[in-house]
Coordinates of all heavy atoms in Angstrom, one line a residue:
M557 N -20.5 -17.3 -41.8 CA -21.1 -16.3 -41.0 C -20.9 -16.6 -39.5 O -20.7 -15.6 -38.7 CB -22.6 -16.2 -41.4 CG -23.3 -15.0 -40.8 SD -22.7 -13.6 -41.6 CE -24.1 -12.6 -41.5
A558 N -21.1 -17.8 -39.0 CA -20.9 -18.1 -37.6 C -19.5 -17.8 -37.2 O -19.3 -17.4 -36.0 CB -21.2 -19.6 -37.4
L559 N -18.5 -18.1 -38.0 CA -17.1 -17.8 -37.7 C -16.9 -16.3 -37.4 O -16.3 -15.9 -36.5 CB -16.2 -18.3 -38.8 CG -14.7 -18.0 -38.5 CD1 -14.2 -18.7 -37.2 CD2 -13.9 -18.6 -39.7
L560 N -17.5 -15.5 -38.2 CA -17.4 -14.0 -38.1 C -18.0 -13.6 -36.8 O -17.5 -12.8 -36.0 CB -18.1 -13.3 -39.3 CG -18.0 -11.8 -39.2 CD1 -16.6 -11.3 -39.2 CD2 -18.7 -11.2 -40.5
A561 N -19.2 -14.1 -36.4 CA -19.9 -13.8 -35.2 C -19.0 -14.2 -34.0 O -18.9 -13.5 -33.0 CB -21.2 -14.4 -35.1
S562 N -18.4 -15.4 -34.0 CA -17.5 -15.8 -32.9 C -16.3 -14.9 -32.8 O -16.0 -14.6 -31.6 CB -17.1 -17.3 -33.2 OG -18.2 -18.2 -33.2
A563 N -15.7 -14.5 -33.8 CA -14.6 -13.6 -33.8 C -15.0 -12.3 -33.1 O -14.2 -11.7 -32.4 CB -14.0 -13.4 -35.1
A564 N -16.2 -11.8 -33.5 CA -16.6 -10.5 -32.9 C -16.8 -10.6 -31.4 O -16.5 -9.7 -30.7 CB -17.9 -10.1 -33.6
L565 N -17.3 -11.8 -30.9 CA -17.5 -11.9 -29.5 C -16.2 -11.9 -28.7 O -16.1 -11.4 -27.7 CB -18.3 -13.2 -29.2 CG -19.7 -13.3 -29.6 CD1 -20.3 -14.6 -29.4 CD2 -20.5 -12.2 -28.9
V566 N -15.2 -12.5 -29.3 CA -13.9 -12.5 -28.7 C -13.3 -11.1 -28.6 O -12.7 -10.7 -27.6 CB -12.9 -13.5 -29.4 CG1 -11.5 -13.3 -28.9 CG2 -13.4 -14.9 -29.3
L567 N -13.5 -10.3 -29.7 CA -12.9 -9.0 -29.7 C -13.6 -8.0 -28.7 O -12.9 -7.1 -28.3 CB -13.1 -8.4 -31.1 CG -12.3 -9.1 -32.2 CD1 -12.6 -8.6 -33.6 CD2 -10.8 -9.0 -31.9
V568 N -14.8 -8.3 -28.3 CA -15.5 -7.4 -27.4 C -15.4 -7.9 -25.9 O -16.0 -7.2 -25.1 CB -16.9 -7.1 -27.8 CG1 -17.0 -6.4 -29.1 CG2 -17.8 -8.3 -27.8
A569 N -14.8 -9.0 -25.7 CA -14.7 -9.5 -24.3 C -13.9 -8.5 -23.5 O -12.9 -7.9 -23.9 CB -14.0 -10.8 -24.3
P570 N -14.4 -8.2 -22.2 CA -13.7 -7.3 -21.4 C -12.3 -7.8 -21.0 O -12.0 -9.0 -20.8 CB -14.6 -7.2 -20.1 CG -15.4 -8.4 -20.1 CD -15.5 -8.9 -21.6
A571 N -11.4 -6.8 -20.8 CA -10.0 -7.2 -20.4 C -10.0 -7.6 -18.9 O -10.8 -7.2 -18.1 CB -9.1 -5.9 -20.5
Q572 N -9.2 -8.6 -18.6 CA -9.1 -9.1 -17.3 C -8.4 -8.1 -16.4 O -7.4 -7.5 -16.8 CB -8.4 -10.5 -17.3 CG -8.3 -11.1 -15.9 CD -8.3 -12.6 -15.9 OE1 -8.4 -13.1 -17.0 NE2 -8.2 -13.2 -14.8
A573 N -8.8 -8.0 -15.2 CA -8.2 -7.0 -14.2 C -6.8 -7.5 -13.9 O -6.6 -8.7 -13.7 CB -9.0 -6.9 -13.0
Q574 N -5.9 -6.6 -13.8 CA -4.5 -6.9 -13.5 C -4.3 -6.6 -12.0 O -4.6 -5.5 -11.5 CB -3.6 -5.9 -14.3 CG -2.2 -6.2 -14.2 CD -1.8 -7.4 -15.0 OE1 -2.5 -7.9 -15.9 NE2 -0.6 -7.9 -14.8
D575 N -3.7 -7.6 -11.3 CA -3.4 -7.4 -9.9 C -1.9 -7.2 -9.8 O -1.1 -7.7 -10.6 CB -3.7 -8.7 -9.1 CG -5.2 -9.1 -9.1 OD1 -6.0 -8.2 -9.3 OD2 -5.5 -10.2 -8.8
A576 N -1.5 -6.4 -8.7 CA 0.0 -6.2 -8.5 C 0.2 -5.7 -7.1 O -0.7 -5.2 -6.4 CB 0.5 -5.1 -9.5
T577 N 1.4 -5.9 -6.6 CA 1.9 -5.4 -5.3 C 2.8 -4.2 -5.5 O 3.7 -4.3 -6.3 CB 2.6 -6.6 -4.6 OG1 1.7 -7.7 -4.5 CG2 3.1 -6.2 -3.2
W578 N 2.6 -3.2 -4.6 CA 3.4 -2.0 -4.7 C 4.9 -2.4 -4.3 O 5.1 -3.1 -3.4 CB 2.9 -1.0 -3.6 CG 3.8 0.2 -3.6 CD1 4.6 0.6 -2.6 CD2 3.9 1.3 -4.6 NE1 5.2 1.8 -2.9 CE2 4.8 2.2 -4.1 CE3 3.3 1.5 -5.8 CZ2 5.1 3.4 -4.8 CZ3 3.6 2.6 -6.5 CH2 4.5 3.5 -6.0
A579 N 5.8 -2.0 -5.2 CA 7.2 -2.4 -5.0 C 8.2 -1.2 -5.0 O 9.3 -1.4 -4.6 CB 7.6 -3.4 -6.2
G580 N 7.7 0.0 -5.5 CA 8.7 1.1 -5.5 C 9.7 0.8 -6.6 O 9.5 -0.1 -7.4
P581 N 10.8 1.5 -6.7 CA 11.3 2.4 -5.8 C 10.8 3.9 -6.0 O 11.0 4.7 -5.1 CB 12.8 2.4 -6.1 CG 12.9 2.2 -7.6 CD 11.7 1.3 -7.8
G582 N 10.1 4.1 -7.1 CA 9.5 5.5 -7.3 C 8.3 5.7 -6.5 O 7.8 4.8 -5.8
N583 N 7.7 6.9 -6.5 CA 6.5 7.2 -5.7 C 5.3 7.3 -6.6 O 4.2 7.6 -6.1 CB 6.8 8.4 -4.9 CG 6.7 9.7 -5.7 OD1 7.0 9.7 -6.9 ND2 6.2 10.8 -5.1
S584 N 5.4 7.1 -7.9 CA 4.2 7.3 -8.8 C 3.4 6.0 -8.9 O 3.9 5.0 -9.4 CB 4.6 7.8 -10.2 OG 3.5 7.9 -11.0
W585 N 2.1 6.1 -8.6 CA 1.2 5.0 -8.8 C 1.1 4.7 -10.2 O 0.9 3.5 -10.6 CB -0.2 5.5 -8.3 CG -1.3 4.5 -8.5 CD1 -1.9 4.2 -9.7 CD2 -2.0 3.7 -7.5 NE1 -2.9 3.3 -9.5 CE2 -3.0 3.0 -8.2 CE3 -1.8 3.6 -6.2 CZ2 -3.8 2.1 -7.5 CZ3 -2.6 2.7 -5.5 CH2 -3.6 1.9 -6.2
N586 N 1.2 5.6 -11.1 CA 0.9 5.5 -12.5 C 2.1 4.9 -13.4 O 2.0 4.9 -14.6 CB 0.5 6.8 -13.1 CG -0.6 7.4 -12.3 OD1 -0.4 8.3 -11.5 ND2 -1.8 7.0 -12.5
V587 N 3.2 4.5 -12.7 CA 4.4 4.0 -13.4 C 4.4 2.4 -13.1 O 4.5 2.0 -12.0 CB 5.7 4.6 -12.9 CG1 6.9 3.9 -13.5 CG2 5.6 6.1 -13.3
G588 N 4.3 1.7 -14.2 CA 4.3 0.2 -14.1 C 5.5 -0.4 -13.4 O 5.4 -1.4 -12.7
G589 N 6.6 0.3 -13.5 CA 7.9 -0.2 -12.9 C 7.8 -0.2 -11.4 O 8.7 -0.8 -10.7
N590 N 6.9 0.5 -10.8 CA 6.7 0.6 -9.3 C 5.8 -0.5 -8.8 O 5.6 -0.6 -7.6 CB 6.1 1.9 -8.9 CG 7.1 3.1 -9.1 OD1 8.3 2.9 -9.0 ND2 6.6 4.2 -9.4
W591 N 5.4 -1.4 -9.7 CA 4.5 -2.5 -9.3 C 5.2 -3.9 -9.6 O 5.9 -4.0 -10.6 CB 3.2 -2.4 -10.0 CG 2.4 -1.2 -9.6 CD1 2.4 0.0 -10.3 CD2 1.6 -1.0 -8.5 NE1 1.7 0.9 -9.6 CE2 1.1 0.3 -8.5 CE3 1.2 -1.9 -7.5 CZ2 0.3 0.8 -7.5 CZ3 0.3 -1.4 -6.5 CH2 -0.1 -0.1 -6.5
S592 N 4.8 -4.9 -8.8 CA 5.5 -6.2 -9.0 C 5.2 -6.8 -10.4 O 6.1 -7.6 -10.9 CB 4.9 -7.2 -7.9 OG 3.5 -7.3 -8.0
S593 N 4.1 -6.5 -11.0 CA 3.7 -7.1 -12.3 C 4.4 -6.4 -13.4 O 4.3 -6.8 -14.6 CB 2.2 -7.2 -12.5 OG 1.7 -5.8 -12.5
G594 N 4.9 -5.2 -13.1 CA 5.4 -4.3 -14.2 C 4.3 -3.5 -14.9 O 4.6 -2.7 -15.8
T595 N 3.1 -3.6 -14.4 CA 2.0 -2.8 -14.9 C 1.2 -2.3 -13.8 O 1.1 -2.9 -12.7 CB 1.1 -3.6 -15.9 OG1 0.5 -4.7 -15.1 CG2 1.8 -4.2 -17.1
V596 N 0.5 -1.2 -14.0 CA -0.3 -0.5 -13.0 C -1.6 -1.4 -12.8 O -2.2 -1.8 -13.8 CB -0.7 0.9 -13.4 CG1 -1.6 1.5 -12.4 CG2 0.5 1.8 -13.6
P597 N -1.9 -1.8 -11.6 CA -3.1 -2.7 -11.4 C -4.4 -2.0 -11.7 O -4.6 -0.8 -11.5 CB -3.0 -3.0 -9.9 CG -2.3 -1.8 -9.3 CD -1.3 -1.3 -10.3
T598 N -5.3 -2.8 -12.1 CA -6.7 -2.5 -12.3 C -7.6 -3.4 -11.5 O -8.8 -3.1 -11.3 CB -7.1 -2.6 -13.8 OG1 -6.9 -3.9 -14.2 CG2 -6.4 -1.6 -14.6
G599 N -7.1 -4.5 -10.9 CA -7.8 -5.4 -10.1 C -7.5 -5.1 -8.6 O -8.0 -4.1 -8.1
T600 N -6.6 -5.9 -8.0 CA -6.2 -5.6 -6.6 C -4.8 -5.0 -6.5 O -3.9 -5.5 -7.1 CB -6.2 -7.0 -5.9 OG1 -7.6 -7.5 -5.9 CG2 -5.8 -6.8 -4.4
A601 N -4.7 -3.9 -5.8 CA -3.4 -3.3 -5.5 C -3.1 -3.6 -4.1 O -3.8 -3.3 -3.2 CB -3.6 -1.8 -5.7
T602 N -2.0 -4.4 -3.9 CA -1.6 -4.9 -2.6 C -0.5 -4.0 -2.1 O 0.5 -3.8 -2.8 CB -1.2 -6.4 -2.7 OG1 -2.4 -7.1 -3.1 CG2 -0.8 -6.9 -1.3
F603 N -0.6 -3.7 -0.8 CA 0.5 -3.0 -0.1 C 0.9 -3.8 1.1 O 0.1 -4.1 2.0 CB 0.0 -1.6 0.3 CG -0.5 -0.8 -0.8 CD1 -1.7 -0.8 -1.3 CD2 0.5 0.1 -1.5 CE1 -2.1 -0.1 -2.4 CE2 0.1 0.8 -2.6 CZ -1.2 0.7 -3.1
S604 N 2.2 -4.1 1.1 CA 2.7 -5.0 2.2 C 4.0 -4.5 2.9 O 4.4 -5.2 3.9 CB 2.9 -6.4 1.6 OG 3.9 -6.3 0.6
G605 N 4.5 -3.4 2.5 CA 5.7 -3.0 3.3 C 6.8 -2.3 2.4 O 7.8 -1.8 2.9
S606 N 6.6 -2.3 1.1 CA 7.6 -1.7 0.2 C 7.5 -0.2 0.3 O 6.5 0.4 0.6 CB 7.4 -2.1 -1.2 OG 7.6 -3.5 -1.4
T607 N 8.7 0.4 0.1 CA 8.8 1.9 0.1 C 9.0 2.4 -1.3 O 9.4 1.7 -2.1 CB 9.9 2.3 1.0 OG1 11.1 1.8 0.5 CG2 9.7 1.9 2.5
P608 N 8.7 3.7 -1.5 CA 8.2 4.7 -0.5 C 6.8 4.4 -0.1 O 6.0 3.8 -0.8 CB 8.4 6.0 -1.2 CG 8.2 5.7 -2.7 CD 8.8 4.3 -2.8
T609 N 6.4 5.0 1.0 CA 5.0 4.8 1.5 C 4.2 6.1 1.2 O 3.0 6.1 1.6 CB 5.0 4.5 3.0 OG1 5.7 5.6 3.7 CG2 5.7 3.2 3.3
S610 N 4.8 7.1 0.6 CA 4.0 8.2 0.1 C 3.9 8.1 -1.4 O 4.9 8.2 -2.1 CB 4.7 9.5 0.5 OG 4.0 10.6 0.0
I611 N 2.7 7.9 -1.8 CA 2.4 7.5 -3.2 C 1.6 8.7 -3.9 O 0.6 9.1 -3.4 CB 1.7 6.2 -3.3 CG1 2.5 5.1 -2.7 CG2 1.3 5.9 -4.8 CD1 1.8 3.8 -2.5
A612 N 2.1 9.1 -5.1 CA 1.4 10.2 -5.8 C 0.7 9.7 -7.1 O 1.2 8.7 -7.7 CB 2.5 11.2 -6.2
F613 N -0.3 10.3 -7.4 CA -1.1 10.1 -8.6 C -0.8 11.2 -9.6 O -1.1 12.3 -9.3 CB -2.6 9.9 -8.4 CG -3.0 8.7 -7.7 CD1 -2.7 8.5 -6.3 CD2 -3.6 7.7 -8.3 CE1 -3.1 7.4 -5.6 CE2 -3.9 6.5 -7.7 CZ -3.7 6.3 -6.3
F614 N -0.3 10.8 -10.8 CA 0.0 11.8 -11.8 C -1.0 11.7 -13.0 O -1.0 12.4 -14.0 CB 1.4 11.7 -12.3 CG 2.4 12.0 -11.3 CD1 3.1 11.0 -10.6 CD2 2.6 13.3 -10.9 CE1 3.9 11.3 -9.5 CE2 3.5 13.6 -9.9 CZ 4.2 12.6 -9.2
S615 N -2.0 10.8 -12.8 CA -3.2 10.7 -13.7 C -4.2 9.9 -12.9 O -3.9 9.3 -11.9 CB -2.8 10.0 -15.1 OG -2.4 8.7 -14.9
S616 N -5.4 9.9 -13.4 CA -6.5 9.2 -12.7 C -6.3 7.7 -12.8 O -5.7 7.2 -13.8 CB -7.9 9.6 -13.3 OG -8.1 11.0 -13.0
A617 N -6.9 6.9 -11.9 CA -6.8 5.5 -11.9 C -8.1 4.9 -11.4 O -8.9 5.5 -10.7 CB -5.6 5.0 -11.0
S618 N -8.3 3.6 -11.7 CA -9.5 2.9 -11.3 C -9.1 1.4 -11.0 O -8.4 0.8 -11.8 CB -10.5 2.9 -12.4 OG -11.6 2.1 -12.1
I619 N -9.4 1.0 -9.8 CA -9.1 -0.4 -9.4 C -10.3 -1.0 -8.7 O -11.3 -0.3 -8.3 CB -7.9 -0.4 -8.4 CG1 -8.2 0.4 -7.1 CG2 -6.6 0.1 -9.1 CD1 -7.1 0.2 -6.1
D620 N -10.2 -2.3 -8.5 CA -11.3 -3.0 -7.8 C -11.1 -3.0 -6.2 O -12.0 -2.8 -5.5 CB -11.4 -4.5 -8.2 CG -11.9 -4.6 -9.6 OD1 -12.6 -3.8 -10.1 OD2 -11.5 -5.6 -10.3
T621 N -9.8 -3.2 -5.8 CA -9.5 -3.4 -4.4 C -8.2 -2.8 -4.0 O -7.2 -3.0 -4.8 CB -9.5 -4.9 -4.0 OG1 -10.8 -5.5 -4.4 CG2 -9.4 -5.1 -2.5
M622 N -8.1 -2.1 -2.9 CA -6.8 -1.8 -2.3 C -6.7 -2.7 -1.1 O -7.5 -2.6 -0.2 CB -6.8 -0.3 -1.8 CG -6.7 0.7 -3.0 SD -6.6 2.4 -2.4 CE -4.9 2.5 -1.9
L623 N -5.6 -3.5 -1.0 CA -5.5 -4.5 0.1 C -4.2 -4.2 0.8 O -3.1 -4.1 0.2 CB -5.4 -5.9 -0.5 CG -5.0 -7.0 0.4 CD1 -6.0 -7.2 1.5 CD2 -4.8 -8.3 -0.3
F624 N -4.3 -3.9 2.1 CA -3.2 -3.7 3.0 C -3.0 -5.0 3.8 O -3.9 -5.4 4.6 CB -3.4 -2.5 3.9 CG -3.6 -1.2 3.1 CD1 -4.8 -0.8 2.7 CD2 -2.5 -0.4 2.8 CE1 -5.0 0.4 1.9 CE2 -2.6 0.7 2.1 CZ -3.9 1.1 1.6
T625 N -1.8 -5.6 3.7 CA -1.6 -6.9 4.3 C -1.2 -6.7 5.8 O -0.9 -5.6 6.2 CB -0.4 -7.7 3.7 OG1 0.8 -6.9 3.8 CG2 -0.8 -8.0 2.2
A626 N -1.3 -7.8 6.6 CA -0.9 -7.7 8.0 C 0.6 -7.2 8.1 O 1.4 -7.6 7.3 CB -1.0 -9.1 8.6
G627 N 0.7 -6.2 8.9 CA 2.1 -5.6 9.1 C 2.5 -4.5 8.1 O 3.6 -4.0 8.2
A628 N 1.5 -4.2 7.2 CA 1.8 -3.1 6.3 C 2.0 -1.8 7.0 O 1.2 -1.5 8.0 CB 0.7 -3.0 5.2
P629 N 3.0 -1.0 6.6 CA 3.1 0.3 7.3 C 2.0 1.3 6.9 O 1.2 1.0 6.0 CB 4.5 0.8 6.8 CG 4.6 0.2 5.5 CD 3.9 -1.1 5.6
L630 N 2.1 2.5 7.5 CA 1.1 3.6 7.1 C 1.5 4.1 5.7 O 2.7 4.4 5.5 CB 1.2 4.7 8.1 CG 0.3 5.9 7.9 CD1 -1.2 5.5 7.9 CD2 0.6 7.0 8.9
Y631 N 0.6 4.1 4.8 CA 0.8 4.7 3.5 C 0.0 6.0 3.3 O -1.1 6.1 3.9 CB 0.3 3.7 2.4 CG 1.3 2.6 2.1 CD1 1.2 1.4 2.8 CD2 2.3 2.6 1.2 CE1 2.0 0.3 2.6 CE2 3.1 1.6 0.9 CZ 3.0 0.4 1.7 OH 3.9 -0.6 1.4
S632 N 0.5 6.9 2.5 CA -0.3 8.1 2.2 C -0.4 8.2 0.7 O 0.5 7.8 0.0 CB 0.4 9.3 2.8 OG 1.6 9.6 2.3
F633 N -1.5 8.7 0.2 CA -1.8 8.9 -1.2 C -2.1 10.3 -1.5 O -3.0 10.9 -0.9 CB -2.9 7.9 -1.6 CG -2.7 6.5 -1.2 CD1 -3.0 6.0 0.0 CD2 -2.0 5.7 -2.2 CE1 -2.7 4.6 0.3 CE2 -1.7 4.4 -1.9 CZ -2.1 3.8 -0.7
N634 N -1.4 10.9 -2.5 CA -1.5 12.2 -2.9 C -2.2 12.2 -4.2 O -1.6 11.9 -5.2 CB -0.2 13.0 -2.9 CG -0.3 14.4 -3.3 OD1 -1.5 14.9 -3.4 ND2 0.8 15.1 -3.5
I635 N -3.5 12.6 -4.3 CA -4.3 12.6 -5.5 C -4.6 14.1 -5.8 O -5.4 14.7 -5.0 CB -5.5 11.8 -5.4 CG1 -5.2 10.3 -5.0 CG2 -6.3 11.8 -6.7 CD1 -6.4 9.5 -4.6
G636 N -4.0 14.6 -6.8 CA -4.2 16.0 -7.1 C -5.6 16.3 -7.5 O -6.4 15.4 -7.9
A637 N -6.0 17.6 -7.5 CA -7.3 18.0 -7.8 C -7.8 17.6 -9.2 O -9.0 17.4 -9.4 CB -7.4 19.5 -7.6
A638 N -6.8 17.5 -10.1 CA -7.2 17.2 -11.5 C -7.4 15.7 -11.8 O -7.7 15.3 -12.8 CB -6.1 17.8 -12.5
H639 N -7.1 14.9 -10.7 CA -7.1 13.4 -10.9 C -8.1 12.8 -9.9 O -8.5 13.4 -9.0 CB -5.7 12.9 -10.7 CG -4.7 13.5 -11.6 ND1 -4.7 13.6 -12.9 CD2 -3.6 14.2 -11.2 CE1 -3.7 14.2 -13.4 NE2 -3.0 14.7 -12.4
S640 N -8.3 11.5 -10.1 CA -9.2 10.8 -9.2 C -8.7 9.3 -9.1 O -8.0 8.8 -10.0 CB -10.6 10.8 -9.7 OG -10.8 10.1 -11.0
L641 N -9.2 8.7 -8.0 CA -9.0 7.2 -7.8 C -10.3 6.7 -7.6 O -11.0 7.0 -6.6 CB -8.0 6.9 -6.6 CG -7.9 5.5 -6.2 CD1 -7.4 4.6 -7.4 CD2 -7.1 5.3 -5.0
V642 N -10.8 5.8 -8.4 CA -12.1 5.1 -8.3 C -11.8 3.7 -7.8 O -11.0 3.0 -8.4 CB -12.8 5.1 -9.6 CG1 -14.1 4.3 -9.5 CG2 -13.1 6.5 -10.1
I643 N -12.4 3.3 -6.7 CA -12.2 2.0 -6.1 C -13.6 1.3 -6.1 O -14.5 1.7 -5.4 CB -11.6 2.1 -4.6 CG1 -10.3 2.9 -4.6 CG2 -11.4 0.7 -4.1 CD1 -9.9 3.2 -3.2
G644 N -13.7 0.2 -6.8 CA -14.9 -0.6 -6.9 C -14.6 -1.9 -6.3 O -13.7 -2.1 -5.5
G645 N -15.4 -2.9 -6.6 CA -15.2 -4.3 -6.1 C -15.3 -4.3 -4.6 O -16.2 -3.9 -3.9
A646 N -14.2 -4.9 -3.9 CA -14.2 -5.1 -2.5 C -13.9 -3.8 -1.8 O -14.0 -3.7 -0.5 CB -13.2 -6.2 -2.1
G647 N -13.4 -2.8 -2.5 CA -13.1 -1.5 -1.8 C -11.7 -1.6 -1.2 O -10.8 -2.1 -1.7
I648 N -11.6 -1.0 0.0 CA -10.4 -1.0 0.8 C -10.4 -2.1 1.8 O -11.3 -2.1 2.7 CB -10.1 0.4 1.4 CG1 -10.0 1.4 0.4 CG2 -8.9 0.3 2.3 CD1 -9.9 2.9 0.9
V649 N -9.4 -3.0 1.8 CA -9.3 -4.1 2.8 C -8.1 -3.8 3.6 O -7.0 -3.9 3.1 CB -9.3 -5.4 2.1 CG1 -9.1 -6.6 3.1 CG2 -10.5 -5.7 1.2
N650 N -8.3 -3.6 4.9 CA -7.1 -3.2 5.8 C -6.9 -4.4 6.8 O -7.6 -4.5 7.8 CB -7.4 -1.9 6.5 CG -6.2 -1.5 7.3 OD1 -5.1 -2.1 7.3 ND2 -6.3 -0.3 8.0
N651 N -5.9 -5.2 6.5 CA -5.5 -6.3 7.4 C -4.3 -5.9 8.2 O -3.7 -6.8 8.9 CB -5.2 -7.6 6.6 CG -6.5 -8.1 5.9 OD1 -7.6 -8.0 6.5 ND2 -6.3 -8.6 4.7
S652 N -3.9 -4.7 8.2 CA -2.6 -4.3 8.9 C -2.9 -3.9 10.3 O -4.1 -3.7 10.7 CB -1.9 -3.1 8.2 OG -2.7 -2.0 8.2

């Protein structure tokens, strides 16, 4: 019985947030290939100079932090009316 309870606790553990740096070459936030980790971030999304700098959302997203590093260029984000971006955690950190 204890083994079954332990297995259940592991199964309900929350997933760890995924961090990634914007890498392009596409402009879609929602495509893993545009991020350094190969997956769309849910933890920290870092922007440091990769292009394109105009990023579109084709579905809603949720992250902990948007981090702009020193020297990062101006980025623009196009979030359509049917989608949203929820930023929790540290929010937006602008070091540029």
Side-chain angles (χ1 to χ4, degrees):
M557 191 68 149
L559 179 59
L560 180 59
S562 295
L565 290 176
V566 171
L567 295 175
V568 297
Q572 184 148 357
Q574 187 76 16
D575 298 339
T577 300
W578 179 252
N583 75 329
S584 176
W585 175 286
N586 310 98
V587 173
N590 290 327
W591 295 95
S592 62
S593 65
T595 59
V596 177
T598 56
T600 299
T602 301
F603 298 89
S604 61
S606 293
T607 58
T609 57
S610 179
I611 301 168
F613 287 75
F614 295 101
S615 64
S616 295
S618 179
I619 60 170
D620 291 333
T621 306
M622 287 181 80
L623 171 64
F624 297 89
T625 63
L630 177 66
Y631 284 88
S632 63
F633 300 89
N634 182 7
I635 304 171
H639 308 301
S640 64
L641 172 62
V642 176
I643 304 171
I648 298 172
V649 178
N650 187 359
N651 294 324
S652 64

